[in-house]
PDB file of all heavy atoms in Angstrom:
ATOM      1  N   PHE A 906      93.380 -24.106 100.911  1.00  0.00           N
ATOM      2  CA  PHE A 906      92.148 -24.413 101.625  1.00  0.00           C
ATOM      3  C   PHE A 906      92.440 -25.674 102.560  1.00  0.00           C
ATOM      4  O   PHE A 906      93.294 -26.447 102.211  1.00  0.00           O
ATOM      5  CB  PHE A 906      90.995 -24.900 100.646  1.00  0.00           C
ATOM      6  CG  PHE A 906      90.565 -23.775  99.757  1.00  0.00           C
ATOM      7  CD1 PHE A 906      91.197 -23.451  98.557  1.00  0.00           C
ATOM      8  CD2 PHE A 906      89.434 -22.952 100.165  1.00  0.00           C
ATOM      9  CE1 PHE A 906      90.765 -22.387  97.787  1.00  0.00           C
ATOM     10  CE2 PHE A 906      88.958 -21.933  99.401  1.00  0.00           C
ATOM     11  CZ  PHE A 906      89.666 -21.609  98.126  1.00  0.00           C
ATOM     12  N   ILE A 907      91.677 -25.584 103.699  1.00  0.00           N
ATOM     13  CA  ILE A 907      91.984 -26.595 104.735  1.00  0.00           C
ATOM     14  C   ILE A 907      90.696 -27.385 104.927  1.00  0.00           C
ATOM     15  O   ILE A 907      89.611 -26.782 105.005  1.00  0.00           O
ATOM     16  CB  ILE A 907      92.504 -26.070 106.018  1.00  0.00           C
ATOM     17  CG1 ILE A 907      93.820 -25.446 105.878  1.00  0.00           C
ATOM     18  CG2 ILE A 907      92.436 -27.034 107.088  1.00  0.00           C
ATOM     19  CD1 ILE A 907      94.288 -24.695 107.107  1.00  0.00           C
ATOM     20  N   THR A 908      90.715 -28.686 105.033  1.00  0.00           N
ATOM     21  CA  THR A 908      89.570 -29.541 105.411  1.00  0.00           C
ATOM     22  C   THR A 908      89.820 -30.252 106.710  1.00  0.00           C
ATOM     23  O   THR A 908      90.929 -30.817 106.836  1.00  0.00           O
ATOM     24  CB  THR A 908      89.282 -30.558 104.301  1.00  0.00           C
ATOM     25  OG1 THR A 908      88.877 -29.843 103.148  1.00  0.00           O
ATOM     26  CG2 THR A 908      88.032 -31.510 104.776  1.00  0.00           C
ATOM     27  N   GLN A 909      88.972 -30.194 107.675  1.00  0.00           N
ATOM     28  CA  GLN A 909      89.051 -30.938 108.925  1.00  0.00           C
ATOM     29  C   GLN A 909      87.846 -31.856 108.958  1.00  0.00           C
ATOM     30  O   GLN A 909      86.742 -31.340 109.085  1.00  0.00           O
ATOM     31  CB  GLN A 909      89.144 -30.001 110.055  1.00  0.00           C
ATOM     32  CG  GLN A 909      90.428 -29.250 110.066  1.00  0.00           C
ATOM     33  CD  GLN A 909      90.392 -28.025 111.065  1.00  0.00           C
ATOM     34  OE1 GLN A 909      89.665 -27.096 110.892  1.00  0.00           O
ATOM     35  NE2 GLN A 909      91.157 -28.150 112.113  1.00  0.00           N
ATOM     36  N   THR A 910      88.035 -33.087 108.931  1.00  0.00           N
ATOM     37  CA  THR A 910      86.914 -34.105 108.883  1.00  0.00           C
ATOM     38  C   THR A 910      86.998 -34.959 110.145  1.00  0.00           C
ATOM     39  O   THR A 910      88.058 -35.497 110.438  1.00  0.00           O
ATOM     40  CB  THR A 910      86.955 -34.996 107.666  1.00  0.00           C
ATOM     41  OG1 THR A 910      87.075 -34.117 106.517  1.00  0.00           O
ATOM     42  CG2 THR A 910      85.789 -35.844 107.593  1.00  0.00           C
ATOM     43  N   MET A 911      85.970 -35.184 110.894  1.00  0.00           N
ATOM     44  CA  MET A 911      85.947 -36.016 112.094  1.00  0.00           C
ATOM     45  C   MET A 911      84.749 -36.920 112.047  1.00  0.00           C
ATOM     46  O   MET A 911      83.634 -36.634 111.523  1.00  0.00           O
ATOM     47  CB  MET A 911      85.712 -35.000 113.221  1.00  0.00           C
ATOM     48  CG  MET A 911      86.952 -34.048 113.544  1.00  0.00           C
ATOM     49  SD  MET A 911      86.614 -32.821 114.831  1.00  0.00           S
ATOM     50  CE  MET A 911      85.505 -31.806 113.887  1.00  0.00           C
ATOM     51  N   LEU A 912      85.052 -38.155 112.500  1.00  0.00           N
ATOM     52  CA  LEU A 912      84.015 -39.204 112.526  1.00  0.00           C
ATOM     53  C   LEU A 912      84.070 -39.849 113.940  1.00  0.00           C
ATOM     54  O   LEU A 912      85.132 -40.315 114.280  1.00  0.00           O
ATOM     55  CB  LEU A 912      84.295 -40.287 111.502  1.00  0.00           C
ATOM     56  CG  LEU A 912      83.342 -41.570 111.531  1.00  0.00           C
ATOM     57  CD1 LEU A 912      81.902 -41.094 111.241  1.00  0.00           C
ATOM     58  CD2 LEU A 912      83.788 -42.506 110.509  1.00  0.00           C
ATOM     59  N   GLU A 913      82.940 -39.768 114.738  1.00  0.00           N
ATOM     60  CA  GLU A 913      82.856 -40.260 116.066  1.00  0.00           C
ATOM     61  C   GLU A 913      81.879 -41.462 116.220  1.00  0.00           C
ATOM     62  O   GLU A 913      80.730 -41.238 115.743  1.00  0.00           O
ATOM     63  CB  GLU A 913      82.607 -39.096 117.006  1.00  0.00           C
ATOM     64  CG  GLU A 913      82.631 -39.643 118.478  1.00  0.00           C
ATOM     65  CD  GLU A 913      82.396 -38.416 119.444  1.00  0.00           C
ATOM     66  OE1 GLU A 913      83.280 -37.497 119.399  1.00  0.00           O
ATOM     67  OE2 GLU A 913      81.554 -38.436 120.307  1.00  0.00           O
ATOM     68  N   VAL A 914      82.297 -42.456 116.856  1.00  0.00           N
ATOM     69  CA  VAL A 914      81.391 -43.527 117.127  1.00  0.00           C
ATOM     70  C   VAL A 914      81.176 -43.801 118.640  1.00  0.00           C
ATOM     71  O   VAL A 914      82.298 -43.901 119.332  1.00  0.00           O
ATOM     72  CB  VAL A 914      81.922 -44.913 116.455  1.00  0.00           C
ATOM     73  CG1 VAL A 914      80.961 -46.057 116.723  1.00  0.00           C
ATOM     74  CG2 VAL A 914      82.012 -44.616 114.934  1.00  0.00           C
ATOM     75  N   ASN A 915      79.953 -43.760 119.185  1.00  0.00           N
ATOM     76  CA  ASN A 915      79.810 -43.991 120.620  1.00  0.00           C
ATOM     77  C   ASN A 915      79.037 -45.335 120.780  1.00  0.00           C
ATOM     78  O   ASN A 915      78.118 -45.580 120.026  1.00  0.00           O
ATOM     79  CB  ASN A 915      79.043 -42.837 121.252  1.00  0.00           C
ATOM     80  CG  ASN A 915      79.804 -41.562 121.164  1.00  0.00           C
ATOM     81  OD1 ASN A 915      80.837 -41.268 121.949  1.00  0.00           O
ATOM     82  ND2 ASN A 915      79.487 -40.699 120.200  1.00  0.00           N
ATOM     83  N   ALA A 916      79.365 -46.076 121.797  1.00  0.00           N
ATOM     84  CA  ALA A 916      78.663 -47.317 121.992  1.00  0.00           C
ATOM     85  C   ALA A 916      78.440 -47.505 123.592  1.00  0.00           C
ATOM     86  O   ALA A 916      79.409 -47.348 124.344  1.00  0.00           O
ATOM     87  CB  ALA A 916      79.366 -48.431 121.376  1.00  0.00           C
ATOM     88  N   ASP A 917      77.136 -47.878 123.971  1.00  0.00           N
ATOM     89  CA  ASP A 917      76.822 -48.233 125.386  1.00  0.00           C
ATOM     90  C   ASP A 917      76.944 -49.660 125.463  1.00  0.00           C
ATOM     91  O   ASP A 917      76.082 -50.472 124.884  1.00  0.00           O
ATOM     92  CB  ASP A 917      75.473 -47.716 125.671  1.00  0.00           C
ATOM     93  CG  ASP A 917      75.409 -46.207 125.769  1.00  0.00           C
ATOM     94  OD1 ASP A 917      76.424 -45.630 126.163  1.00  0.00           O
ATOM     95  OD2 ASP A 917      74.389 -45.598 125.408  1.00  0.00           O
ATOM     96  N   LEU A 918      78.014 -50.155 126.080  1.00  0.00           N
ATOM     97  CA  LEU A 918      78.204 -51.609 126.284  1.00  0.00           C
ATOM     98  C   LEU A 918      77.242 -52.220 127.348  1.00  0.00           C
ATOM     99  O   LEU A 918      76.728 -53.317 127.165  1.00  0.00           O
ATOM    100  CB  LEU A 918      79.738 -51.872 126.597  1.00  0.00           C
ATOM    101  CG  LEU A 918      80.716 -51.346 125.763  1.00  0.00           C
ATOM    102  CD1 LEU A 918      82.202 -51.814 126.126  1.00  0.00           C
ATOM    103  CD2 LEU A 918      80.378 -51.860 124.214  1.00  0.00           C
ATOM    104  N   THR A 919      77.080 -51.420 128.471  1.00  0.00           N
ATOM    105  CA  THR A 919      76.085 -51.671 129.429  1.00  0.00           C
ATOM    106  C   THR A 919      75.492 -50.396 129.941  1.00  0.00           C
ATOM    107  O   THR A 919      75.804 -49.394 129.380  1.00  0.00           O
ATOM    108  CB  THR A 919      76.686 -52.443 130.690  1.00  0.00           C
ATOM    109  OG1 THR A 919      77.538 -51.574 131.333  1.00  0.00           O
ATOM    110  CG2 THR A 919      77.613 -53.620 130.203  1.00  0.00           C
ATOM    111  N   ASP A 920      74.680 -50.446 130.839  1.00  0.00           N
ATOM    112  CA  ASP A 920      74.092 -49.228 131.405  1.00  0.00           C
ATOM    113  C   ASP A 920      75.094 -48.206 131.977  1.00  0.00           C
ATOM    114  O   ASP A 920      74.895 -47.071 131.886  1.00  0.00           O
ATOM    115  CB  ASP A 920      72.929 -49.494 132.513  1.00  0.00           C
ATOM    116  CG  ASP A 920      71.809 -50.212 132.030  1.00  0.00           C
ATOM    117  OD1 ASP A 920      71.599 -50.115 130.822  1.00  0.00           O
ATOM    118  OD2 ASP A 920      71.086 -50.843 132.750  1.00  0.00           O
TER     119      ASP A 920
END
Side-chain angles (χ1 to χ4, degrees):
F906 293 88
I907 293 172
T908 296
Q909 294 168 293
T910 308
M911 295 171 285
L912 176 63
E913 183 172 308
V914 178
N915 298 284
D917 291 326
L918 305 184
T919 70
D920 289 342

